[in-house]
Amino acid sequence: MSSALQALAVIGVVLLIPYLYRFYNFVWLYFVRPSSAHEYLHAAPAYALITGATDGIGKALAKELYDQGFSLILHGRNEEKMRKVVDGIRGNGARDVLYFLADASRADHDFERMMAPFMDLNITVVVHNVGNSDFTKERIDAFSKADLMGIANRNAIFPLHLTHTLLPRLRLSAKTGPVVVQFMGSMAGEISPPRFAIYSASKSFLKALTRALDNDERVWGTPTGVHFEYLLTGQVQSNSMRLATSLVTPASETYAKAIVARMGCGWRAYCPYWIHAAQKWFMDIVGEGVQDKYSAVAIADLVALHEKKN
Ligand SMILES: NC(=O)c1ccc[n+]([C@@H]2O[C@H](COP(=O)([O-])OP(=O)(O)OC[C@H]3O[C@@H](n4cnc5c(N)ncnc54)[C@H](OP(=O)(O)O)[C@@H]3O)[C@@H](O)[C@H]2O)c1
């Protein structure tokens, strides 16, 4: 082999290394790594706090974490709906299923007062799941400022205030074992599709917050044992995403199992569900131009679908 060919072969192998490493991580995370959810069950009873737990992913996650041995603190906005969820879960066991109610579209809550009944409990898992945005043809100037703030509040500011209030409690819980705070992210935060500006920006805010808060607790000063994760979520069938289930659109129950299986995996921002990870990989390869065109078509289809179903 000529030295030019040898040099090209070496360059080829070097360029392949990141892809091979990424593939290795993919196989390890989704098909080999055992779940470490039980590690958060220290100093029993261990509580998982889940926001937006009356429907969709949050409700499925509450059931899944209860089945894994956690006591629960759930959040919703509708007492009747919440009671049905609580009764359904309590039917399966004797552990606590507590709840609180708050409209997450508002940021003017007294968070200290709201969390006071729970601050003596050993909270080891927090999932900031609440969030959504309407499927609409309208651009932002068709919304009132209050409506825009409502989207930002329920997707970004409510989780921020709740985390701010809970942190001292979480550091206490972390004295006996690991504690994780998960923010429910979205592919929208990666590709910023049309008509989802505030939602996408809110999810990007959560992603940046995850990394910074994790660094706060870990790399400057004595590590506290509180970790933060951002869950990169693609399409999941739920109350707001009324699509048929498929490989790319798992049921909320399937997705909840994926979240619990990957919890504490060591990555800060990751897709809990393997097909979403493959989609993300593909999106990164095709680049922004293709992403923008594809996402415009996908959003137009979703808007049409939701208009038909409403
Ligand atoms: N499903 C997807 O395809 C998808 C994709 C990417 C990211 N996500 C993210 O996943 C999370 C869960 O979404 P989902 O699809 O499971 O939604 P969902 O089925 O509509 O459930 C949303 C939950 O949040 C609650 N909620 C909504 N607005 C609220 C408010 N203003 N105050 C208090 N509670 C409120 C709902 O309460 P009610 O029961 O009273 O309505 C419900 O419990 C969200 O953060 C969403 O952005 C979902």
Side-chain angles (χ1 to χ4, degrees):
M1 203 191 291
S2 75
S3 51
L5 268 180
Q6 280 177 344
L8 277 179
V10 171
I11 291 170
V13 169
V14 169
L15 291 178
L16 260 181
I17 287 173
Y19 291 97
L20 291 173
Y21 183 63
R22 205 166 164 177
F23 183 69
Y24 165 81
N25 280 334
F26 178 83
V27 173
W28 162 253
L29 180 60
Y30 299 104
F31 303 109
V32 180
R33 179 187 171 274
S35 166
S36 54
H38 60 277
E39 290 176 14
Y40 298 89
L41 284 167
H42 51 88
Y47 284 77
L49 186 154
I50 304 150
T51 67
T54 48
D55 221 322
I57 300 169
K59 180 176 159 187
L61 197 53
K63 283 189 185 148
E64 184 63 26
L65 285 169
Y66 193 81
D67 289 348
Q68 297 276 335
F70 289 86
S71 299
L72 299 176
I73 304 165
L74 306 182
H75 156 259
R77 59 179 161 180
N78 176 327
E79 180 134 39
E80 202 185 325
K81 211 168 163 181
M82 176 58 87
R83 279 187 180 279
K84 275 192 194 145
V85 173
V86 169
D87 291 345
I89 296 175
R90 271 201 192 125
N92 302 337
R95 265 169 279 115
D96 271 354
V97 186
L98 312 174
Y99 69 86
F100 65 102
L101 300 170
D103 179 358
S105 298
R106 287 177 36 203
D108 58 350
H109 300 290
D110 182 342
F111 284 86
E112 271 69 30
R113 209 168 129 197
M114 196 156 76
M115 286 299 100
F118 313 115
M119 291 301 270
D120 289 333
L121 302 176
N122 175 36
I123 303 171
T124 63
V125 173
V126 177
V127 188
H128 292 290
N129 165 74
V130 71
N132 60 28
S133 190
D134 291 336
F135 290 94
T136 172
K137 287 181 181 149
E138 306 296 347
R139 297 184 172 89
I140 65 163
D141 49 311
F143 286 76
S144 69
K145 289 193 178 64
D147 284 344
L148 292 183
M149 284 316 299
I151 302 172
N153 284 339
R154 65 182 174 269
N155 287 288
I157 307 304
F158 187 83
L160 170 67
H161 285 321
L162 209 53
T163 303
H164 173 259
T165 305
L166 286 170
L167 257 176
R169 169 64 252 175
L170 300 179
R171 292 194 192 110
L172 274 180
S173 300
K175 289 193 184 302
T176 53
V179 168
V180 68
V181 180
Q182 298 185 316
F183 291 104
M184 191 62 74
S186 171
M187 290 296 179
E190 308 296 300
I191 60 173
S192 298
R195 310 303 192 262
F196 275 81
I198 311 302
Y199 176 76
S200 305
S202 300
K203 294 296 187 185
S204 292
F205 170 91
L206 291 181
K207 190 176 181 186
L209 191 70
T210 299
R211 184 167 175 180
L213 292 182
D214 197 65
N215 281 335
D216 266 355
E217 301 300 310
R218 203 169 51 86
V219 296
W220 192 1
T222 313
T224 64
V226 180
H227 294 281
F228 290 82
E229 296 181 350
Y230 176 80
L231 308 179
L232 256 163
T233 304
Q235 278 183 3
V236 177
Q237 187 198 49
S238 70
N239 192 32
S240 359
M241 189 61 86
R242 298 183 206 159
L243 294 171
T245 55
S246 65
L247 200 55
V248 291
T249 311
S252 287
E253 290 72 18
T254 308
Y255 192 62
K257 282 187 194 303
I259 292 175
V260 174
R262 315 273 116 73
M263 176 181 280
C265 63
W267 274 272
R268 271 192 299 222
Y270 62 92
C271 297
Y273 183 62
W274 71 278
I275 291 282
H276 294 165
Q279 286 178 315
K280 166 85 172 66
W281 182 79
F282 185 68
M283 272 165 23
D284 290 346
I285 287 183
V286 299
E288 269 190 25
V290 177
Q291 288 172 14
D292 290 349
K293 280 196 187 122
Y294 166 80
S295 69
V297 173
I299 294 295
D301 288 349
L302 284 170
V303 169
L305 185 84
H306 280 78
E307 276 176 353
K308 215 159 71 184
K309 290 197 170 166
N310 281 332

